[in-house]
Structure formats: structure tokens, C-alpha cells
């Protein structure tokens, strides 16, 4: 299984390409001239951001605040720059894992490429050729990643005030309006 490793990358961000409603979501890691971009679903970005914050909060709780994890994103660590271009998908993410490496005091995020084989027992298993991007982040960098990821997810189409579904620029057929356009 080929692994693309980023130990304390210069940059690790979530971002999008395209207009709201037609966006493709990416995670992008970079170090020096090396840039890796993996595509994934909006919901995967949202869940990853939520889980990173939960993991960091748990690390702070369990260590009594002794771990080098800030309670919030440190001032000056925010990254609002666009994705590094050209954005070329290295692979599409199927599954992700999230762990805390207590020895290195780092959050480790692994993104496994979509592509599964059926094992001997008929269960889906990762393909041996599937790629993995592994990113190791400090607590502060992980907080900054999560904050940006939430902002990227929320920057899409505004919700309908009646049903909560996303509004297209042309409006949408609202279930709360008996199928009429709003």
C-alpha cells in the first residue's frame, strides 16, 4: 500500500473547487514543492473537522491540560488562502482514520483511497494498491485545520429559512411549500 507521508507539513487544509452547489471538496497537504490533493465528500470534511476538535478536547481533558494542545486556534494560525493550484486529484478518499500519537504529541490523519477488494469471506477489504495519505499535525495546526474545514463546509449555498435545504441561485422546490418554488 503506497503511503504519502506528511510529518508536520507546511500546510494542510480543506478547500473546494467550483461554485456552491457544484463544489468538489479536497484535502491538500504540502511541504516544499510537494503538494498532494485528495478529493472527498462534503460530509467527510465536516465529520473530520468535528472529530479533530473532539479528539483534541479529549486529549486536553485526559492530560489535565498538560499536552501541547490549545483550547482554540492560536491567533495567526488561520489559513484562508485558496488551494495551491493547479488542483489535481491524487486519489479519492474512501475511509479516514484519526488518532493521537501520544509519544510524538501529534494528531495523525490517514486518508485511504477508494478501491476495495472482496476478501475470502466476502467482506470488503482495502485494495493492496490503494494509496494512503498520512498527515501528522501539532495540536495547534490540527485546531487551525478544523476551524478552516468548518468554514469551508459552511461557505456553500445558504439554507432555506423554511425547510433548511440548500438554496440554489434560482431558488428550489421547497417541501414546506407543497412543492412550490421559493
Amino acid at each position: 500500500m503506497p503511503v504519502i507521508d506528511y510529518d508536520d507539513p507546511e500546510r494542510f487544509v480543506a478547500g473546494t473547487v467550483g461554485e456552491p452547489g457544484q463544489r468538489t471538496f479536497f484535502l491538500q497537504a504540502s511541504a516544499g514543492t510537494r503538494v498532494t490533493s485528495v478529493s472527498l465528500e462534503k460530509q467527510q470534511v465536516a465529520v473530520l473537522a468535528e472529530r479533530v476538535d473532539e479528539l483534541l478536547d479529549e486529549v486536553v481533558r485526559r492530560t489535565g491540560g498538560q499536552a501541547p494542545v490549545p483550547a482554540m486556534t492560536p491567533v495567526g494560525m488561520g489559513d484562508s488562502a485558496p488551494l495551491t493550484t493547479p488542483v489535481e486529484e491524487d486519489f479519492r478518499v474512501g475511509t479516514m482514520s484519526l488518532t493521537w500519537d501520544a509519544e510524538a504529541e501529534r494528531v495523525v490523519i490517514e486518508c485511504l483511497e477508494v478501491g476495495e477488494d472482496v476478501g475470502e469471506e466476502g467482506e470488503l477489504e482495502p485494495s493492496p494498491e490503494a494509496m494512503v495519505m498520512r498527515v501528522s499535525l501539532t495540536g495547534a495546526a490540527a485546531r487551525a485545520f478544523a476551524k478552516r474545514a468548518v468554514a469551508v463546509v459552511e461557505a456553500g449555498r445558504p439554507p432555506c429559512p423554511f425547510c433548511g435545504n440548500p438554496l440554489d441561485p434560482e431558488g428550489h422546490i421547497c417541501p414546506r411549500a407543497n412543492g412550490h418554488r421559493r
Side-chain angles (χ1 to χ4, degrees):
M1 193 174 294
V3 177
I4 305 167
D5 240 328
Y6 283 91
D7 188 18
D8 207 16
E10 292 168 15
R11 188 169 191 230
F12 180 62
V13 295
T16 62
V17 172
E19 295 298 316
Q22 302 296 318
R23 300 185 297 170
T24 301
F25 286 78
F26 288 92
L27 298 179
Q28 191 176 73
S30 59
T33 58
R34 183 172 66 133
V35 177
T36 304
S37 301
V38 297
S39 66
L40 67 171
E41 297 295 324
K42 175 182 180 178
Q43 191 61 31
Q44 288 175 295
V45 175
V47 169
L48 180 60
E50 179 183 324
R51 297 284 158 67
V52 164
D53 270 336
E54 288 173 357
L55 174 66
L56 294 173
D57 291 345
E58 184 65 15
V59 168
V60 168
R61 189 186 68 72
R62 287 189 180 197
T63 64
Q66 298 305 306
V69 175
M72 295 174 22
T73 303
V75 175
M77 286 211 60
D79 182 342
S80 60
L83 295 172
T84 302
T85 57
V87 179
E88 296 175 2
E89 178 185 291
D90 289 284
F91 64 86
R92 183 145 189 86
V93 175
T95 57
M96 295 183 285
S97 70
L98 176 66
T99 57
W100 173 255
D101 181 342
E103 188 175 310
E105 296 184 319
R106 298 277 193 268
V107 170
V108 179
I109 299 169
E110 289 187 342
C111 301
L112 179 65
E113 179 180 20
V114 169
E116 298 173 331
D117 290 337
V118 178
E120 293 177 21
E121 313 245 341
E123 296 177 7
L124 291 177
E125 299 174 348
S127 167
E129 296 85 34
M131 298 190 62
V132 175
M133 180 174 72
R134 181 181 304 130
V135 180
S136 177
L137 303 169
T138 64
R143 286 277 189 214
F145 165 80
K147 181 178 180 180
R148 176 185 168 128
V150 167
V152 165
V153 168
E154 291 177 350
R157 298 173 287 172
C160 171
F162 302 104
C163 70
N165 290 334
L167 283 174
D168 291 322
E170 311 82 42
H172 76 283
I173 297 175
C174 183
R176 305 277 317 262
N178 294 325
H180 292 282
R181 210 168 252 295
R182 291 224 184 241

